[in-house]
Amino acid sequence: NAGVMQNPRHLVRRRGQEARLRCSPMKGHSHVYWYRQLPEEGLKFMVYLQKENIIDESGMPKERFSAEFPKEGPSILRIQQVVRGDSAAYFCASPYPDTQYFGPGTRLTVL
Amino acid sequence: AQKVTQAQTEISVVEKEDVTLDCVYETRDTTYYLFWYKQPPSGELVFLIRRNSFDEQNEISGRYSWNFQKSTSSFNFTITASQVVDSAVYFCALGSTSGTYKYIFGTGTRLKVLA
């Protein structure tokens, strides 16, 4: 994973709860991408962030999903009021420089 | 529109057989990147190769080789003398060289190598 960290690795939530997924890119890097992988599917782009800025959120669902990358600390993907359809693997990636290296992913299960 | 098609959903081979995974892409960009990633059963994504659109040379890395043909918009991946450890889902992806550089992934091909 080339030093891209994600936590937690597994997250279980009940419907209606909030999920917070964290991603720390490679050391010294200030850009992250988030992708979602639904069961038995490929990865789909969600959002691209630079520290303190959202560059492209064209893949983010309009409701309940938000992302941030503060000046200090990891990038956070937040899902409010989770539903069963949010169950998926969420990956973040750190670009270096022409290739995105992915973290190990967070597997979210919504009961 | 950009699109990546991996028509083979699942392939099973016996160990030591050669296997080719197909990838066809669509893009209007004149320059772009193509990638292959491996997702073993443990779930992480392992980078295998990046190819720039202006470099049509085929590449070989050990038992792995890649055939890029711009004329047919294909970027196929061959594993020679497959091994059980090659069992994984393999994803082909298309990346822009401008804009936000996000990737478009295919739906993946699950390779099962049987002992």
Side-chain angles (χ1 to χ4, degrees), chain A residues 33 35 37 56 99-100 107, chain B residues 37 39 43 50 100-101 103:
Chain A
Y33 293 80
Y35 291 80
Q37 183 181 23
D56 181 356
T99 299
Q100 292 180 22
R107 271 93 188 146
Chain B
Y37 286 86
Q39 187 173 45
R50 181 188 75 237
T100 59
Y101 309 100
Y103 290 3

Side-chain angles (χ1 to χ4, degrees), chain A residues 46-59:
Chain A
M46 299 181 76
V47 62
Y48 170 41
L49 305 110
Q50 188 181 19
K51 277 195 183 283
E52 300 186 277
N53 281 305
I54 296 175
I55 308 299
D56 181 356
E57 56 181 348
S58 58

